[in-house]
Amino acid sequence: MLPGTRPGDGDTRTFLGAIMRNPHQLGAIAPSSKAVARLATSVVPGTRGAVVVELGAGGGVISDAIRDRLPPDGRQLAIELNHDMVRHLRRSRPWLEVIAGDAGDLGRFLGRAGVTQVDAVVSSLPWTLFDERQQKRILDEVSAALALGGMFSTVTTLTAMPFRRFRLFRGLLESTFTTVGTMGPVWHNVPPALVFTASEGPPPAAGDGPGRR
Ligand SMILES: C[S@@+](CC[C@H](N)C(=O)[O-])C[C@H]1O[C@@H](n2cnc3c(N)ncnc32)[C@H](O)[C@@H]1O
């Protein structure tokens, strides 16, 4: 981080600039709110040495929320496709392991980083911009990367719901994982958002972590 700057400085400016240059890659009209970031990161464990990967880190608002939950000896990686956002993340958040590339190559990136399994994957990827093959490829990579008991969360918006690719994604989530949950809506977000959670294990006990569908 540059001297005199704080995490968050320039996040929205960089994000909006990237949207104007490349609207079909960002898939959003504004960064996630802190309320959404808090909800999406409820899957991040507080266990020592936990490893968390974020898909589509953008301006870094969810990266900051992951950092707030992760123990100091945890490892935090972020995969981001947009080069402007990658530059911004590396400049503003030197503590984050930023990987420039496609979330569909998650397993390959983790191998290169010396990570065998991760405890949580937090995504805010624009699923409705992906065709079925891309959606499935990323979900399969996430499922393969998660340790036993590991959790996946992904942000989506209420405005995405009418789209066929949203329903496609929801179906793939159900067929890839044994337990799928929904949190929200979070009205304090533009547009209002939902967070889906998914894991391979049995549903969490009532009052224990994210809620069920
Ligand atoms: C909706 S924005 C979310 C940004 C930020 N995490 C937030 O919540 O405000 C989606 C982000 O995913 C990135 N992205 C899109 N396709 C991607 C892909 N295939 N792999 C990795 N990142 C991708 C975009 O560049 C963008 O930064």
Side-chain angles (χ1 to χ4, degrees), residues 15 25-28 30-32 54-62 79-82 85 101-104 124-126 130 138:
F15 195 83
Q25 193 174 65
L26 273 286
S32 296
E54 183 184 2
L55 308 179
V61 61
I62 294 180
I79 300 179
E80 171 56 53
L81 193 59
N82 182 282
M85 306 312 297
D102 189 326
S124 51
L125 290 172
F130 303 153
I138 298 171

Side-chain angles (χ1 to χ4, degrees), residues 31-45 54 60-70 122-124 153-155 183-184 186-189 193-197 209-211:
S32 296
S33 67
K34 288 192 174 164
V36 167
R38 268 194 304 275
L39 200 59
T41 55
S42 60
V43 299
V44 173
E54 183 184 2
V61 61
I62 294 180
S63 318
D64 293 345
I66 293 172
R67 192 189 198 206
D68 287 347
R69 290 185 66 101
L70 201 60
V122 181
S123 151
S124 51
S153 74
T154 188
V155 176
M183 298 190 287
V186 181
W187 299 105
H188 190 76
N189 194 69
L194 292 174
V195 175
F196 293 139
T197 59

Side-chain angles (χ1 to χ4, degrees), residues 12-191:
T12 304
R13 195 178 52 242
T14 309
F15 195 83
L16 295 179
I19 288 174
M20 282 191 271
R21 277 187 291 280
N22 209 337
H24 298 299
Q25 193 174 65
L26 273 286
I29 53 170
S32 296
S33 67
K34 288 192 174 164
V36 167
R38 268 194 304 275
L39 200 59
T41 55
S42 60
V43 299
V44 173
T47 40
R48 296 197 56 182
V51 181
V52 177
V53 184
E54 183 184 2
L55 308 179
V61 61
I62 294 180
S63 318
D64 293 345
I66 293 172
R67 192 189 198 206
D68 287 347
R69 290 185 66 101
L70 201 60
D73 65 348
R75 201 166 160 191
Q76 184 176 350
L77 301 94
I79 300 179
E80 171 56 53
L81 193 59
N82 182 282
H83 295 301
D84 293 337
M85 306 312 297
V86 167
R87 262 196 304 277
H88 171 73
L89 288 166
R90 287 187 173 146
R91 201 171 44 227
S92 61
R93 292 164 177 81
W95 42 265
L96 185 61
E97 293 183 53
V98 182
I99 297 165
D102 189 326
D105 293 324
L106 173 64
R108 192 163 59 83
F109 290 137
L110 291 178
R112 273 201 215 151
V115 173
T116 46
Q117 285 196 308
V118 304
D119 300 291
V121 177
V122 181
S123 151
S124 51
L125 290 172
W127 295 103
T128 53
L129 298 184
F130 303 153
D131 63 23
E132 183 174 10
R133 191 189 53 82
Q134 288 172 300
Q135 292 184 353
K136 182 164 177 6
R137 177 167 165 225
I138 298 171
L139 288 178
D140 285 345
E141 292 275 321
V142 170
S143 169
L146 281 176
L148 198 67
M151 295 279 297
F152 173 54
S153 74
T154 188
V155 176
T156 186
T157 59
L158 293 187
T159 48
M161 288 176 77
F163 292 95
R164 193 185 67 85
R165 285 183 175 183
F166 174 90
R167 292 190 295 278
L168 200 60
F169 172 69
R170 193 67 175 80
L172 282 173
L173 205 53
E174 300 271 354
S175 57
T176 308
F177 296 93
T178 52
T179 304
V180 176
T182 305
M183 298 190 287
V186 181
W187 299 105
H188 190 76
N189 194 69
V190 184

